[in-house]
Amino acid sequence: MGDRYPDGITQTHVTHRGLRCANPLSLLVLSALMLVAFSGALGGFPNPSQSVVGPKARLTLEAPGIARSGMVFEMRMRIDAARAIPRPVIAISPSYWHELTINTMMPAADENYGRGGYRFEYAPLAAGDTLFIKVDGQVNPALFGGTTGRITLYDGETPLAALPTRLEVRP
């Protein structure tokens, strides 16, 4: 009577010495997924920093290089004025913010669209002043592959410094 099993269960389903005989493929797949996640291949690294120096200022950008669909992200821009900038304007190409939702930009700026980009004008900067700009956004689910663009610092209509930038989006 001790060798009787419920319907559908045979001797091959029974564990040996109390240990279950599992297929090692499931453990290998789980391990591979964990390695990919830990490698950062799907994002999750600290935002890389890139910088360019122009005739009047240094423009520094910290923005994600890799993001996942639906991810909330933060960008930080910094303008270090070496000389006075009477009309500091940050221009962001539309291709870079394509399929991104921008939730917050601090400090608030005089915003408009023109001359090929989103333009944000700030109060004048004296030599030695620093302006920090924080942008919070989210990757729209429709975006796949990524975006590229340019962030340019102007003094009114005069370009001072430009940074090409790319956001790679992974599922």
Side-chain angles (χ1 to χ4, degrees):
M1 279 273 175
D3 290 345
R4 296 203 48 169
Y5 303 106
D7 288 342
I9 304 295
T10 65
Q11 178 64 36
T12 59
H13 293 105
V14 177
T15 59
H16 301 283
R17 294 187 194 155
L19 298 175
R20 185 173 180 195
C21 298
N23 185 343
L25 181 62
S26 60
L27 180 61
L28 290 173
V29 168
L30 178 62
S31 298
L33 286 173
M34 290 176 64
L35 283 173
V36 167
F38 287 132
S39 75
L42 300 176
F45 287 118
N47 290 345
S49 178
Q50 50 184 336
S51 187
V52 64
V53 177
K56 290 186 176 182
R58 172 188 296 269
L59 173 63
T60 303
L61 172 68
E62 289 180 24
I66 299 173
R68 291 181 295 278
S69 181
M71 184 174 129
V72 175
F73 65 89
E74 178 179 281
M75 293 173 51
R76 283 181 247 128
M77 291 176 267
R78 177 181 173 154
I79 301 169
D80 295 300
R83 296 191 309 197
I85 306 173
R87 289 184 54 214
V89 175
I90 291 287
I92 299 173
S93 60
S95 61
Y96 183 56
W97 276 359
H98 177 72
E99 291 297 341
L100 299 178
T101 298
I102 303 304
N103 300 319
T104 308
M105 189 165 192
M106 294 175 50
D110 181 17
E111 304 172 5
N112 64 56
Y113 181 87
R115 295 169 297 286
Y118 302 104
R119 298 175 66 89
F120 304 93
E121 186 171 341
Y122 293 92
L125 295 174
D129 284 354
T130 299
L131 173 63
F132 293 98
I133 303 166
K134 181 179 178 286
V135 179
D136 295 316
Q138 184 172 2
V139 179
N140 293 340
L143 180 58
F144 182 77
T147 64
T148 59
R150 179 174 300 277
I151 296 177
T152 307
L153 170 63
Y154 288 90
D155 181 0
E157 298 301 319
T158 306
L160 300 178
L163 278 171
T165 187
R166 173 164 172 68
L167 173 63
E168 206 174 304
V169 177
R170 299 188 179 160

